[in-house]
């Protein structure tokens, strides 16, 4: 950047420096790629915009891949050897997304936010691939990613990707579909040499007119002194060439490091900033640690050494302004000064208007907030009363539950005591037929019977079997045992031992 001041120091003309970028030469072709977007894609997966932004850093230095099939590209081509458990990639790298000059940004197209990035193709090593790209208006592409976290919705059958990393970009043939909707690439043509030559001619023409204007009008000694001072100011800026100054600033930024992680989770040292541009006052850079945001920092020269004041690091935005044509310095200076005055006046007016509007809005919102506060206080009081009533009812319910629990326990104890009494009565009915050990065993088995009647039948059956065995061993007539004599019995009298034991 060259600064030239006129003799009354009322204005300053800035002549832009058009830097020579390393990648803007015949060895490379720049490919602009629309690689991914938020929302649902063709693969029935969803990526939120925040997730898309979190993956920005992983796009740096990933390869651009391609495989030719006939006169067009193929798709993701690879072979898997199951015996060696090895994947062999048939598609080959033909370029890369550089860590600098990748112009990563977002564009809204058809309601989707697309991630757009510039990549560079090696012309010498990818001649056939470049022939295919140049013969097409646009080339389909597909991203290769590693999904770190996801969640599958069974109802919608959509995979919600929560975290991922880019690993590559593959160029596709026209017959293949894309995972991302309308994912494609276009070649970016540029002619650096012609543009640079044109700008250098404009610079020389300007300096020529500036020198002539000062030589024709500054005849006095004072004017000559001022002219010499201007020349010294210009000369002081050429202690370093433009490219040298760029390199020195870039070297100073490259010393700022931080410890990050690579795709494998390993700790690696990375550059904190990437140089974007500079002028006579500021360095414009990309802050990698702060989400690749564009910022500026002031700098100074100590001899030929660049000293960057990182304490002045602030975020910036770029505003488009109209291009100014013309070779006359005075016209450019006057236009620049008039524009600044106009902008200053309009900015002051707009600022005052905005201030008045904000004061009005603050007053309105203050009034609304006060009324809302009163409503909220009233609502809080009502909620407090409801809460107190609810607590009282809840306490009553708890008390009722405790009484019910006590009653249930008393009923349970009564039933247990009643059951024990009935068991004892049953055992007392057969004092000579059951031993104490047998009574104890039957008591243990009581819990396995749902009803007392079933338990009673089991005991009676056992007693009946004992009676039968006893009569057999003593040669008693079992059929007639226990039957009434003569006509004493009625027709309803039991006819078997079991019937008698069941009464």
């Amino acid at each position: 950047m060259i600064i030239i001041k006129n003799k009354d120091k009322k204005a300053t003309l800035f002549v832009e420096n058009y830097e020579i970028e390393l990648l803007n030469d015949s060895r490379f072709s720049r490919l602009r790629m629309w690689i991914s977007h938020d929302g649902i894609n063709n693969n029935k997966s969803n990526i939120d915009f925040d997730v898309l932004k979190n993956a920005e850093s992983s796009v740096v230095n990933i390869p651009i891949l391609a495989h030719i099939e006939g006169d067009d590209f193929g798709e993701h081509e690879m072979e898997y050897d199951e015996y060696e458990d090895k994947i062999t990639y048939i598609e080959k790298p033909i370029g890369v997304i550089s860590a600098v000059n990748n112009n990563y940004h977002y564009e809204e197209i058809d309601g989707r936010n697309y991630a757009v990035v510039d990549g560079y193709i090696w012309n010498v090593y990818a001649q056939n691939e470049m022939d295919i790209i140049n013969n097409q208006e646009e080339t389909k592409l597909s991203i290769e990613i590693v999904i770190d976290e996801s969640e599958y919705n069974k109802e919608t059958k959509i995979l919600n990707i929560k975290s991922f990393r880019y690993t590559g970009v593959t160029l596709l043939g026209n017959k293949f579909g894309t995972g991302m909707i309308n994912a494609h690439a276009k070649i970016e043509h540029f002619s650096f040499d012609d543009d640079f030559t044109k700008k250098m001619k404009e610079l020389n023409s300007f300096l020529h007119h500036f020198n002539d204007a000062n030589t024709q009008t500054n005849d006095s000694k004072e004017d000559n002194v001022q002219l010499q001072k201007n020349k010294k100011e210009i000369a002081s800026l050429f202690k370093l060439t433009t490219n040298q100054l760029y390199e020195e600033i870039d070297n100073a930024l490259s010393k700022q490091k931080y410890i990050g992680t690579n795709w494998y989770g390993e700790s690696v040292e990375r550059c904190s900033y990437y140089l974007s541009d500079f002028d006579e006052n500021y360095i414009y850079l990309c802050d990698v640690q702060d989400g690749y945001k564009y910022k500026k920092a002031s700098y100074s020269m100590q001899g030929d050494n660049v000293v960057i004041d990182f304490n002045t690091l602030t975020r910036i935005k770029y505003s488009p302004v109209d291009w100014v044509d013309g070779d006359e310095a005075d016209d450019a200076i006057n236009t620049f000064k008039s524009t600044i005055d106009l902008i200053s006046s309009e900015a002051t007016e707009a600022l005052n208007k905005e201030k008045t509007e904000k004061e009005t809005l603050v007053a309105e919102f203050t009034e609304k907030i006060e009324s809302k506060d009163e409503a909220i206080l009233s609502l809080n009081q009502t909620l407090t009363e409801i809460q107190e009533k609810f607590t009282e009812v809840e306490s009553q319910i708890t008390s009722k539950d405790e009484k019910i629990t006590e009653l249930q326990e008393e009923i349970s104890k009564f039933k247990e005591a009643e059951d024990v009494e009935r068991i004892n009565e049953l055992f007392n009915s057969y004092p000579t037929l059951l031993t104490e050990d047998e009574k104890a065993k039957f008591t243990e088995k009581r819990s396995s019977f749902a009803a007392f009647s079933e338990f009673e039948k089991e005991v009676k059956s056992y007693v009946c079997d004992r009676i039968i065995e006893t009569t057999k061993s003593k040669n008693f007539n079992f059929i007639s045992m226990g039957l009434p004599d003569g006509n004493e019995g009625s027709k309803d009298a039991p006819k078997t031992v079991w019937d008698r034991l069941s009464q």
Side-chain angles (χ1 to χ4, degrees), residues 5 7 210-211 214-215 218 220-236:
K5 296 181 179 179
K7 65 178 183 179
F210 179 82
N211 187 58
N214 280 276
T215 302
N218 298 337
S220 65
K221 182 178 180 179
E222 182 181 352
D223 291 340
N224 288 331
V225 171
Q226 182 63 43
L227 177 59
Q228 292 301 321
K229 184 178 179 180
N230 288 338
K231 289 182 178 180
K232 287 181 180 179
E233 290 177 354
I234 296 172
S236 66

PDB file of all heavy atoms in Angstrom, residues 5 7 210-211 214-215 218 220-236:
ATOM      1  N   LYS A   5       0.489  12.184   0.261  1.00  0.00           N
ATOM      2  CA  LYS A   5      -0.235  13.319   0.827  1.00  0.00           C
ATOM      3  C   LYS A   5       0.031  14.559  -0.017  1.00  0.00           C
ATOM      4  O   LYS A   5       1.142  14.782  -0.482  1.00  0.00           O
ATOM      5  CB  LYS A   5       0.209  13.570   2.263  1.00  0.00           C
ATOM      6  CG  LYS A   5      -0.120  12.421   3.221  1.00  0.00           C
ATOM      7  CD  LYS A   5       0.331  12.744   4.620  1.00  0.00           C
ATOM      8  CE  LYS A   5      -0.025  11.600   5.575  1.00  0.00           C
ATOM      9  NZ  LYS A   5       0.438  11.887   6.949  1.00  0.00           N
ATOM     10  N   LYS A   7       0.181  18.840  -0.414  1.00  0.00           N
ATOM     11  CA  LYS A   7       0.958  19.766   0.407  1.00  0.00           C
ATOM     12  C   LYS A   7       0.163  20.356   1.572  1.00  0.00           C
ATOM     13  O   LYS A   7       0.731  20.697   2.602  1.00  0.00           O
ATOM     14  CB  LYS A   7       1.505  20.899  -0.463  1.00  0.00           C
ATOM     15  CG  LYS A   7       0.419  21.803  -1.080  1.00  0.00           C
ATOM     16  CD  LYS A   7       1.056  22.911  -1.883  1.00  0.00           C
ATOM     17  CE  LYS A   7      -0.024  23.862  -2.455  1.00  0.00           C
ATOM     18  NZ  LYS A   7       0.613  24.948  -3.215  1.00  0.00           N
ATOM     19  N   PHE A 210       1.114  12.877 -10.405  1.00  0.00           N
ATOM     20  CA  PHE A 210       1.341  13.516  -9.105  1.00  0.00           C
ATOM     21  C   PHE A 210       2.646  14.303  -9.117  1.00  0.00           C
ATOM     22  O   PHE A 210       2.721  15.428  -8.651  1.00  0.00           O
ATOM     23  CB  PHE A 210       1.377  12.438  -8.011  1.00  0.00           C
ATOM     24  CG  PHE A 210       1.620  13.001  -6.633  1.00  0.00           C
ATOM     25  CD1 PHE A 210       0.570  13.531  -5.901  1.00  0.00           C
ATOM     26  CD2 PHE A 210       2.896  13.006  -6.094  1.00  0.00           C
ATOM     27  CE1 PHE A 210       0.794  14.058  -4.646  1.00  0.00           C
ATOM     28  CE2 PHE A 210       3.130  13.534  -4.851  1.00  0.00           C
ATOM     29  CZ  PHE A 210       2.078  14.051  -4.109  1.00  0.00           C
ATOM     30  N   ASN A 211       3.701  13.717  -9.704  1.00  0.00           N
ATOM     31  CA  ASN A 211       5.009  14.374  -9.765  1.00  0.00           C
ATOM     32  C   ASN A 211       4.963  15.617 -10.652  1.00  0.00           C
ATOM     33  O   ASN A 211       5.514  16.670 -10.317  1.00  0.00           O
ATOM     34  CB  ASN A 211       6.052  13.387 -10.275  1.00  0.00           C
ATOM     35  CG  ASN A 211       7.469  13.951 -10.190  1.00  0.00           C
ATOM     36  OD1 ASN A 211       7.927  14.322  -9.112  1.00  0.00           O
ATOM     37  ND2 ASN A 211       8.136  14.028 -11.339  1.00  0.00           N
ATOM     38  N   ASN A 214       3.142  18.564  -8.854  1.00  0.00           N
ATOM     39  CA  ASN A 214       3.955  19.217  -7.832  1.00  0.00           C
ATOM     40  C   ASN A 214       5.098  20.015  -8.448  1.00  0.00           C
ATOM     41  O   ASN A 214       5.466  21.078  -7.963  1.00  0.00           O
ATOM     42  CB  ASN A 214       4.525  18.179  -6.861  1.00  0.00           C
ATOM     43  CG  ASN A 214       3.518  17.750  -5.812  1.00  0.00           C
ATOM     44  OD1 ASN A 214       3.352  18.410  -4.803  1.00  0.00           O
ATOM     45  ND2 ASN A 214       2.826  16.664  -6.087  1.00  0.00           N
ATOM     46  N   THR A 215       5.668  19.522  -9.561  1.00  0.00           N
ATOM     47  CA  THR A 215       6.780  20.235 -10.213  1.00  0.00           C
ATOM     48  C   THR A 215       6.310  21.541 -10.830  1.00  0.00           C
ATOM     49  O   THR A 215       6.994  22.555 -10.793  1.00  0.00           O
ATOM     50  CB  THR A 215       7.396  19.345 -11.322  1.00  0.00           C
ATOM     51  OG1 THR A 215       7.839  18.134 -10.711  1.00  0.00           O
ATOM     52  CG2 THR A 215       8.581  20.050 -11.967  1.00  0.00           C
ATOM     53  N   ASN A 218       4.863  23.949  -7.421  1.00  0.00           N
ATOM     54  CA  ASN A 218       5.690  24.196  -6.241  1.00  0.00           C
ATOM     55  C   ASN A 218       7.015  24.808  -6.647  1.00  0.00           C
ATOM     56  O   ASN A 218       8.025  24.124  -6.730  1.00  0.00           O
ATOM     57  CB  ASN A 218       5.918  22.881  -5.466  1.00  0.00           C
ATOM     58  CG  ASN A 218       4.612  22.309  -4.964  1.00  0.00           C
ATOM     59  OD1 ASN A 218       3.649  23.050  -4.820  1.00  0.00           O
ATOM     60  ND2 ASN A 218       4.600  21.025  -4.697  1.00  0.00           N
ATOM     61  N   SER A 220       8.252  27.617  -5.061  1.00  0.00           N
ATOM     62  CA  SER A 220       8.880  28.239  -3.903  1.00  0.00           C
ATOM     63  C   SER A 220       9.718  27.235  -3.141  1.00  0.00           C
ATOM     64  O   SER A 220       9.596  26.022  -3.319  1.00  0.00           O
ATOM     65  CB  SER A 220       7.812  28.829  -2.991  1.00  0.00           C
ATOM     66  OG  SER A 220       7.028  27.765  -2.465  1.00  0.00           O
ATOM     67  N   LYS A 221      10.544  27.766  -2.276  1.00  0.00           N
ATOM     68  CA  LYS A 221      11.410  26.918  -1.453  1.00  0.00           C
ATOM     69  C   LYS A 221      10.585  26.038  -0.525  1.00  0.00           C
ATOM     70  O   LYS A 221      10.895  24.868  -0.314  1.00  0.00           O
ATOM     71  CB  LYS A 221      12.352  27.812  -0.644  1.00  0.00           C
ATOM     72  CG  LYS A 221      13.342  27.026   0.208  1.00  0.00           C
ATOM     73  CD  LYS A 221      14.272  27.993   0.928  1.00  0.00           C
ATOM     74  CE  LYS A 221      15.270  27.214   1.781  1.00  0.00           C
ATOM     75  NZ  LYS A 221      16.195  28.127   2.477  1.00  0.00           N
ATOM     76  N   GLU A 222       9.520  26.643   0.021  1.00  0.00           N
ATOM     77  CA  GLU A 222       8.667  25.874   0.938  1.00  0.00           C
ATOM     78  C   GLU A 222       8.002  24.705   0.242  1.00  0.00           C
ATOM     79  O   GLU A 222       7.926  23.599   0.769  1.00  0.00           O
ATOM     80  CB  GLU A 222       7.594  26.799   1.526  1.00  0.00           C
ATOM     81  CG  GLU A 222       6.676  26.105   2.527  1.00  0.00           C
ATOM     82  CD  GLU A 222       5.613  27.044   3.066  1.00  0.00           C
ATOM     83  OE1 GLU A 222       5.700  28.258   2.770  1.00  0.00           O
ATOM     84  OE2 GLU A 222       4.708  26.540   3.777  1.00  0.00           O
ATOM     85  N   ASP A 223       7.539  24.959  -0.975  1.00  0.00           N
ATOM     86  CA  ASP A 223       6.903  23.878  -1.731  1.00  0.00           C
ATOM     87  C   ASP A 223       7.893  22.784  -2.066  1.00  0.00           C
ATOM     88  O   ASP A 223       7.556  21.597  -2.058  1.00  0.00           O
ATOM     89  CB  ASP A 223       6.283  24.423  -3.021  1.00  0.00           C
ATOM     90  CG  ASP A 223       5.081  25.305  -2.717  1.00  0.00           C
ATOM     91  OD1 ASP A 223       4.527  25.171  -1.610  1.00  0.00           O
ATOM     92  OD2 ASP A 223       4.714  26.118  -3.573  1.00  0.00           O
ATOM     93  N   ASN A 224       9.132  23.187  -2.407  1.00  0.00           N
ATOM     94  CA  ASN A 224      10.163  22.191  -2.720  1.00  0.00           C
ATOM     95  C   ASN A 224      10.471  21.324  -1.503  1.00  0.00           C
ATOM     96  O   ASN A 224      10.689  20.115  -1.618  1.00  0.00           O
ATOM     97  CB  ASN A 224      11.441  22.885  -3.208  1.00  0.00           C
ATOM     98  CG  ASN A 224      11.260  23.450  -4.614  1.00  0.00           C
ATOM     99  OD1 ASN A 224      10.469  22.916  -5.392  1.00  0.00           O
ATOM    100  ND2 ASN A 224      11.974  24.529  -4.927  1.00  0.00           N
ATOM    101  N   VAL A 225      10.487  21.974  -0.322  1.00  0.00           N
ATOM    102  CA  VAL A 225      10.736  21.213   0.911  1.00  0.00           C
ATOM    103  C   VAL A 225       9.614  20.202   1.134  1.00  0.00           C
ATOM    104  O   VAL A 225       9.855  19.049   1.493  1.00  0.00           O
ATOM    105  CB  VAL A 225      10.850  22.177   2.117  1.00  0.00           C
ATOM    106  CG1 VAL A 225      10.876  21.378   3.427  1.00  0.00           C
ATOM    107  CG2 VAL A 225      12.098  23.026   1.984  1.00  0.00           C
ATOM    108  N   GLN A 226       8.370  20.683   0.881  1.00  0.00           N
ATOM    109  CA  GLN A 226       7.224  19.775   1.055  1.00  0.00           C
ATOM    110  C   GLN A 226       7.284  18.624   0.063  1.00  0.00           C
ATOM    111  O   GLN A 226       6.971  17.474   0.400  1.00  0.00           O
ATOM    112  CB  GLN A 226       5.919  20.563   0.861  1.00  0.00           C
ATOM    113  CG  GLN A 226       4.657  19.721   1.067  1.00  0.00           C
ATOM    114  CD  GLN A 226       4.560  19.209   2.488  1.00  0.00           C
ATOM    115  OE1 GLN A 226       4.819  19.939   3.433  1.00  0.00           O
ATOM    116  NE2 GLN A 226       4.227  17.940   2.628  1.00  0.00           N
ATOM    117  N   LEU A 227       7.704  18.914  -1.166  1.00  0.00           N
ATOM    118  CA  LEU A 227       7.821  17.872  -2.180  1.00  0.00           C
ATOM    119  C   LEU A 227       8.859  16.843  -1.767  1.00  0.00           C
ATOM    120  O   LEU A 227       8.651  15.632  -1.910  1.00  0.00           O
ATOM    121  CB  LEU A 227       8.182  18.491  -3.536  1.00  0.00           C
ATOM    122  CG  LEU A 227       8.402  17.502  -4.686  1.00  0.00           C
ATOM    123  CD1 LEU A 227       7.138  16.662  -4.918  1.00  0.00           C
ATOM    124  CD2 LEU A 227       8.794  18.233  -5.952  1.00  0.00           C
ATOM    125  N   GLN A 228       9.983  17.329  -1.245  1.00  0.00           N
ATOM    126  CA  GLN A 228      11.019  16.406  -0.817  1.00  0.00           C
ATOM    127  C   GLN A 228      10.528  15.533   0.341  1.00  0.00           C
ATOM    128  O   GLN A 228      10.853  14.349   0.433  1.00  0.00           O
ATOM    129  CB  GLN A 228      12.278  17.198  -0.390  1.00  0.00           C
ATOM    130  CG  GLN A 228      12.981  17.906  -1.534  1.00  0.00           C
ATOM    131  CD  GLN A 228      13.434  16.935  -2.616  1.00  0.00           C
ATOM    132  OE1 GLN A 228      13.891  15.825  -2.320  1.00  0.00           O
ATOM    133  NE2 GLN A 228      13.290  17.353  -3.874  1.00  0.00           N
ATOM    134  N   LYS A 229       9.733  16.172   1.217  1.00  0.00           N
ATOM    135  CA  LYS A 229       9.179  15.411   2.336  1.00  0.00           C
ATOM    136  C   LYS A 229       8.247  14.313   1.845  1.00  0.00           C
ATOM    137  O   LYS A 229       8.278  13.185   2.331  1.00  0.00           O
ATOM    138  CB  LYS A 229       8.423  16.360   3.271  1.00  0.00           C
ATOM    139  CG  LYS A 229       7.884  15.676   4.523  1.00  0.00           C
ATOM    140  CD  LYS A 229       7.189  16.677   5.411  1.00  0.00           C
ATOM    141  CE  LYS A 229       6.640  15.984   6.652  1.00  0.00           C
ATOM    142  NZ  LYS A 229       5.950  16.935   7.543  1.00  0.00           N
ATOM    143  N   ASN A 230       7.442  14.660   0.843  1.00  0.00           N
ATOM    144  CA  ASN A 230       6.549  13.649   0.273  1.00  0.00           C
ATOM    145  C   ASN A 230       7.332  12.507  -0.340  1.00  0.00           C
ATOM    146  O   ASN A 230       6.990  11.338  -0.205  1.00  0.00           O
ATOM    147  CB  ASN A 230       5.650  14.280  -0.784  1.00  0.00           C
ATOM    148  CG  ASN A 230       4.592  15.184  -0.160  1.00  0.00           C
ATOM    149  OD1 ASN A 230       4.267  15.046   1.008  1.00  0.00           O
ATOM    150  ND2 ASN A 230       4.069  16.110  -0.944  1.00  0.00           N
ATOM    151  N   LYS A 231       8.413  12.840  -1.022  1.00  0.00           N
ATOM    152  CA  LYS A 231       9.238  11.806  -1.648  1.00  0.00           C
ATOM    153  C   LYS A 231       9.877  10.908  -0.600  1.00  0.00           C
ATOM    154  O   LYS A 231      10.008   9.699  -0.789  1.00  0.00           O
ATOM    155  CB  LYS A 231      10.309  12.459  -2.521  1.00  0.00           C
ATOM    156  CG  LYS A 231       9.760  13.104  -3.782  1.00  0.00           C
ATOM    157  CD  LYS A 231      10.874  13.685  -4.631  1.00  0.00           C
ATOM    158  CE  LYS A 231      10.320  14.285  -5.938  1.00  0.00           C
ATOM    159  NZ  LYS A 231      11.394  14.860  -6.769  1.00  0.00           N
ATOM    160  N   LYS A 232      10.271  11.516   0.527  1.00  0.00           N
ATOM    161  CA  LYS A 232      10.876  10.722   1.594  1.00  0.00           C
ATOM    162  C   LYS A 232       9.849   9.770   2.204  1.00  0.00           C
ATOM    163  O   LYS A 232      10.167   8.632   2.533  1.00  0.00           O
ATOM    164  CB  LYS A 232      11.435  11.644   2.678  1.00  0.00           C
ATOM    165  CG  LYS A 232      12.698  12.385   2.257  1.00  0.00           C
ATOM    166  CD  LYS A 232      13.204  13.265   3.387  1.00  0.00           C
ATOM    167  CE  LYS A 232      14.475  14.014   2.964  1.00  0.00           C
ATOM    168  NZ  LYS A 232      14.980  14.891   4.055  1.00  0.00           N
ATOM    169  N   GLU A 233       8.614  10.283   2.348  1.00  0.00           N
ATOM    170  CA  GLU A 233       7.555   9.419   2.874  1.00  0.00           C
ATOM    171  C   GLU A 233       7.304   8.239   1.955  1.00  0.00           C
ATOM    172  O   GLU A 233       7.126   7.105   2.397  1.00  0.00           O
ATOM    173  CB  GLU A 233       6.267  10.225   3.064  1.00  0.00           C
ATOM    174  CG  GLU A 233       6.342  11.235   4.190  1.00  0.00           C
ATOM    175  CD  GLU A 233       5.070  12.058   4.306  1.00  0.00           C
ATOM    176  OE1 GLU A 233       4.201  11.894   3.425  1.00  0.00           O
ATOM    177  OE2 GLU A 233       4.952  12.830   5.257  1.00  0.00           O
ATOM    178  N   ILE A 234       7.290   8.531   0.638  1.00  0.00           N
ATOM    179  CA  ILE A 234       7.098   7.445  -0.332  1.00  0.00           C
ATOM    180  C   ILE A 234       8.268   6.489  -0.292  1.00  0.00           C
ATOM    181  O   ILE A 234       8.105   5.253  -0.278  1.00  0.00           O
ATOM    182  CB  ILE A 234       6.911   8.011  -1.748  1.00  0.00           C
ATOM    183  CG1 ILE A 234       5.621   8.849  -1.809  1.00  0.00           C
ATOM    184  CG2 ILE A 234       6.860   6.896  -2.775  1.00  0.00           C
ATOM    185  CD1 ILE A 234       5.454   9.591  -3.105  1.00  0.00           C
ATOM    186  N   ALA A 235       9.470   7.030  -0.230  1.00  0.00           N
ATOM    187  CA  ALA A 235      10.659   6.180  -0.233  1.00  0.00           C
ATOM    188  C   ALA A 235      10.717   5.297   1.004  1.00  0.00           C
ATOM    189  O   ALA A 235      11.160   4.145   0.939  1.00  0.00           O
ATOM    190  CB  ALA A 235      11.917   7.052  -0.318  1.00  0.00           C
ATOM    191  N   SER A 236      10.278   5.862   2.151  1.00  0.00           N
ATOM    192  CA  SER A 236      10.339   5.086   3.396  1.00  0.00           C
ATOM    193  C   SER A 236       9.459   3.851   3.333  1.00  0.00           C
ATOM    194  O   SER A 236       9.743   2.841   3.966  1.00  0.00           O
ATOM    195  CB  SER A 236       9.926   5.963   4.576  1.00  0.00           C
ATOM    196  OG  SER A 236       8.559   6.325   4.454  1.00  0.00           O
TER     197      SER A 236
END
